[in-house]
Amino acid sequence: MSKALGLEDDQRFTLMKFRRTVQDILKQPHHDDHFLLRWLRARKWDVAAAEKMLRDSMEWRKQWEVDKLAEWDPPQILKDYLPHGLCGFDKDGAPVVAVYFDALDLYGILHVVSRRDMIRVTIKILEEYLQLCREQLQKHGFAASQIVVIFDMHGFNLKQYLWRPAGEVVITLIQMYEANYPEILKICYIINAPKVFAFAFSVAKKFMNEYTLSKIQIYKADRTKWQAAILNNISKDQLPVYFGGTLKDPDGNPKLGTKICLGGKIPQEMYVANTDKDKENLTTVTIKKGGKLELDMPASEMGSVLSVGDYSWEFRTENHDIRFGIVKKDNNGTRKEVLPMRRVAAHQLDEIGILTCEVPATYSVVFDNTYSILRNKKIHYSVRVIPPSAAEEIQPAIA
């Protein structure tokens, strides 16, 4: 079979050596030469490194009981609100998966289900697509054995991913994918990417390997460019009208909601109170009744980002609301509210956000309890300034 894979002699010998080395953990029929080559290529034909990666992944599969997930019935909210679906196949027969990423309300989902369930359902989905790839491999050959993904970023909002639990889940899922599903991505089209997406991707790509990054094509909201790239590899009859194809729902919906889950905002009445929120890396203070806390953050570079948490401001209060806002202080002492003061119910939902500093100045984050004459307010917060270079790092990569 290795000859049919088009391998050089040294690669065939490396494959044979790798198979002998990991023979004790292989299971037929899935662990064939195609399977083994994924791990070898992911570790640049280093047998020892590929063996470690594969054995670690096998242990991970045991820990997460991956082989039993086919029997697991995920919470209904994950079935109804995770935006993804198979819309068709590319010209080689590879599965084409569409994801309307802007419709992913991860903030809401994590207020209803656990992070573990979010990880488990992602594994289950990946396993299902991987099984489809194996079927397409048997029918059409190697070119059909990997997944094509279209991420639509129209309307992408960075805010929810700056909430630490959501950001941590995204990073965890990327790391999980990289460690356990090597070389399964054929190509990934990220379309309608807004400017703020560059910042998010500059963080996410630090957890991706060279292979994954080489398969990603990013396009701004230029329909002519991204549609031409997609149609070069995928026929119109395999795509929703929204992407330039011919498929649509009976009611005319161009996004093909009958085959692709369209996601959506999670109703707040479905939220489950979480009394065990992780407060690690947050500063806790008590603001006295009638008092105020001002945190001065100098932004010395034009375009710096004022943020709380790793990439944004994040805070929560206990039992009661708080007034919150941001004031810009110029060198001459002038004060101007750049984020108007308002009462925030941060005892019900974590407050998160991001602010681009227009000019070098001192920006003061204000927690104001002067309106309360009876109650002290306990608050857990984090805030820092991120230099503009982090947000601009990948701009040239976006078409």
Side-chain angles (χ1 to χ4, degrees):
M1 183 177 182
S2 57
K3 290 183 178 180
L5 296 172
L7 302 178
E8 301 291 338
D9 286 345
D10 58 338
Q11 292 175 333
R12 288 195 294 110
F13 289 129
T14 300
L15 175 59
M16 292 169 58
K17 180 180 179 181
F18 183 44
R19 175 174 285 283
R20 288 195 302 269
T21 303
V22 297
Q23 189 66 45
D24 59 304
I25 59 172
L26 298 184
K27 298 179 180 178
Q28 297 298 337
H30 300 325
H31 295 171
D32 55 14
D33 284 350
H34 288 285
F35 172 83
L36 293 176
L37 283 172
R38 285 171 41 207
W39 306 88
L40 278 174
R41 287 170 174 150
R43 288 298 177 262
K44 299 180 179 179
W45 299 90
D46 184 324
V47 172
E51 179 186 0
K52 183 180 186 309
M53 185 184 186
L54 178 55
R55 290 188 183 278
D56 287 347
S57 181
M58 289 300 187
E59 284 302 312
W60 170 83
R61 293 181 70 89
K62 290 178 183 178
Q63 293 170 6
W64 284 90
E65 298 184 315
V66 174
D67 294 333
K68 297 180 181 179
L69 284 181
E71 307 164 7
W72 175 60
D73 188 27
Q76 190 63 41
I77 190 172
L78 295 175
K79 300 177 185 178
D80 295 341
Y81 286 93
L82 278 185
H84 75 96
L86 176 76
C87 64
F89 300 88
D90 76 357
K91 294 177 181 179
D92 294 320
V96 177
V97 176
V99 180
Y100 299 111
F101 201 82
D102 66 303
L104 173 60
D105 182 11
L106 189 54
Y107 182 83
I109 287 174
L110 293 177
H111 276 80
V112 181
V113 302
S114 67
R115 301 185 199 191
R116 180 176 178 81
D117 277 349
M118 184 63 195
I119 294 171
R120 292 181 79 200
V121 76
T122 303
I123 298 171
K124 182 180 177 72
I125 291 169
L126 283 171
E127 290 291 315
E128 290 172 351
Y129 286 138
L130 202 54
Q131 174 58 33
L132 180 57
C133 285
R134 285 192 285 264
E135 295 171 3
Q136 293 301 102
L137 168 65
Q138 297 302 316
K139 295 178 183 178
H140 304 287
F142 177 74
S145 66
Q146 297 170 300
I147 304 171
V148 177
V149 184
I150 304 173
F151 279 107
D152 176 37
M153 308 303 292
H154 176 73
F156 171 75
N157 188 342
L158 178 64
K159 184 177 179 180
Q160 66 171 323
Y161 300 99
L162 302 176
W163 178 50
R164 190 189 312 107
E168 287 177 347
V169 165
V170 171
I171 297 304
T172 297
L173 293 178
I174 293 174
Q175 291 175 319
M176 177 194 77
Y177 166 82
E178 293 288 1
N180 301 287
Y181 297 95
E183 308 276 325
I184 69 168
L185 180 64
K186 185 174 184 179
I187 191 168
C188 175
Y189 302 100
I190 298 178
I191 65 173
N192 295 321
K195 185 175 291 186
V196 71
F197 174 72
F199 174 78
F201 190 70
S202 70
V203 176
K205 75 174 190 177
K206 295 176 182 178
F207 302 92
M208 300 178 186
N209 64 33
E210 294 177 3
Y211 173 85
T212 301
L213 291 171
S214 72
K215 298 296 182 177
I216 296 176
Q217 297 182 13
I218 304 176
Y219 298 89
K220 297 178 182 177
D222 185 335
R223 186 177 184 86
T224 301
K225 285 187 176 181
W226 61 252
Q227 191 175 92
I230 291 174
L231 291 177
N232 186 52
N233 294 321
I234 307 170
S235 300
K236 286 188 174 184
D237 61 358
Q238 300 295 309
L239 287 169
V241 170
Y242 181 83
F243 295 132
T246 59
L247 302 177
K248 60 183 179 180
D249 292 327
D251 64 0
N253 187 338
K255 289 191 172 183
L256 197 63
T258 51
K259 295 185 68 175
I260 304 167
C261 178
L262 302 181
K265 194 75 173 175
I266 309 296
Q268 288 193 14
E269 56 266 26
M270 297 179 68
Y271 285 16
V272 177
N274 187 350
T275 58
D276 189 30
K277 286 185 179 293
D278 178 18
K279 297 184 179 65
E280 185 180 357
N281 297 324
L282 296 182
T283 299
T284 300
V285 297
T286 297
I287 304 175
K288 299 294 185 181
K289 54 190 176 183
K292 181 188 296 186
L293 172 65
E294 291 197 20
L295 304 170
D296 287 343
M297 304 294 293
S300 59
E301 297 183 77
M302 188 81 71
S304 291
V305 176
L306 180 64
S307 66
V308 179
D310 289 338
Y311 324 115
S312 71
W313 65 73
E314 175 183 345
F315 67 88
R316 65 188 70 124
T317 54
E318 295 186 7
N319 302 320
H320 304 286
D321 65 6
I322 192 77
R323 287 188 80 227
F324 170 75
I326 297 177
V327 175
K328 182 179 70 175
K329 300 178 181 179
D330 293 331
N331 293 334
N332 59 11
T334 302
R335 295 170 61 94
K336 177 184 178 182
E337 288 188 3
V338 291
L339 186 68
M341 299 296 301
R342 62 185 177 89
R343 290 177 69 165
V344 177
H347 60 301
Q348 297 175 345
L349 292 175
D350 291 12
E351 180 68 14
I352 55 177
I354 190 168
L355 175 72
T356 299
C357 307
E358 298 176 353
V359 295
T362 294
Y363 289 77
S364 184
V365 175
V366 182
F367 297 106
D368 184 1
N369 196 33
T370 57
Y371 64 94
S372 179
I373 60 175
L374 299 177
R375 298 187 179 94
N376 297 333
K377 305 289 177 64
K378 181 174 284 190
I379 184 169
H380 311 278
Y381 73 88
S382 178
V383 59
R384 72 185 181 108
V385 173
I386 301 174
S389 57
E392 296 171 354
E393 184 179 348
I394 65 148
Q395 286 295 337
I398 300 180

